[in-house]
Amino acid sequence: MLAAINKYWDLRKLVFVGLAATAFAVCDAESTVVQKEQSQTAIDYSQRKALVIGVDGMQYEKLQEAIAAGRAPNLAQFTIAKSYIGGVVGTVTQQSTYSGPGWSTILTGAWSNRHRVTGNDSRQRNQTKSIFRLIKEATPSRRTASIISWNTINDNFARDIELAYIDRVEKCSDIDQCVAEKASSALRFEVFSFVFAHFDEPDLTGHAQGFGDAYQAAIQGVDTQVGQLLAALRQRQVAYPDEDWLIIVTPDHGRAAADGHSHGNQTLSEKTTFIAINKPANAQLSAPISDPDNMNFGGLYGNATQADIVPTVLAHLGVKPNLLDYPIDGVSLIGELGVRLLAVQINNTARSATLKWRNTSAQGKPLTIYRDGKLLATLTDQVSEYVDNDLKNVQDGVVDLNYTVVVNDVPQSYLARANFSAAISSNPSLLMR
Ligand SMILES: [Zn+2]
């Protein structure tokens, strides 16, 4: 089911036009012309900036209700499409639909088999490269901020804070208005390339009262605070008209049907999330794959995921992490597409790995496959499967193998887990000992 609302707006239009008149639909032909014009001139990435706004526990379907009722006029201006959280059930990417793993995925582009945040535990530490770190490693002078209502998020990223990958750190202790004010001030008066602002009220109200009038009021309240951030950016752009801001709004999980009080498990309602974006999205967001190999949850896995947010921000900022050590499971929602739905199945007995992916824009371009930085194969993008039989030298026991498939200079990775055993190895003499 195509759920995307096909409209978007350009932030710069918001600067000069009043808020009510800003829902500005641009036809596809016109946007294609604009994109072509932009690609002909060198992009000044120093003017590229990104704001990710977290709306904890905001259910996709309930946001749609709020928009239909006129209660979320600010969020209504974005392109909003369905996505999913919690990884793929029964695989290495599966993670609970709690907030800790969810926000860690949103801030790393990885599932919990990389970030290792498995629950709502403030003692857990992110174990993979965060968006903050990836930006800093590319351009140390770029500044980042994490201004959050649920303090555990910044606890989970304490290492990033200690290593100064996050310049501005604020814990607002469940007071969303504190987030609105501090983030507005940071956006308007300071210089950041990336700002993460997190609101918690929809989750708090959902736990206390479930879906209903209070939950709708919580969505309305956060929409107003999102409007406060957008207003701060409009004011900023009067002084900095050349800045180009990507804005994404996203929740960390859905809520259990039918009453919405809880979450954490693997149900369609808890896994269903959304991504709202202010830029023209590519097919990864706007054209879900209708026939994913895994059709569980009614084909939900054909949609974008919360892991796609980090690569989207990186694409906008012009940050290209090293392909030989690429730690991101998601796919950019803007610009050129690489492969989609990359998955790796390990056969421990045969010591092989089967990679499968989709390429929805195959044009005969080269496709390269890496495992842990080693080039395994150069194919074309019309191929959608590869078997890695060259695993003889991988050590026995549990070992993670990072596969990366690259098309159009756009990578996607998958961290597979092997558990090879010496007893099953091909050398029969080992069995005699
Ligand atoms: Zn919650």
Side-chain angles (χ1 to χ4, degrees), residues 56 99 203 207 253 255 263:
D56 207 301
S99 289
D203 194 59
H207 283 294
H253 54 72
R255 317 195 68 80
H263 61 89

Side-chain angles (χ1 to χ4, degrees), residues 272-300:
T272 298
T273 48
F274 65 88
I275 295 171
I277 189 166
N278 73 328
K279 296 279 180 189
N282 64 26
Q284 174 67 3
L285 190 69
S286 65
I289 292 173
S290 59
D291 61 340
D293 290 355
N294 182 336
M295 281 297 291
N296 291 343
F297 301 106
L300 185 68

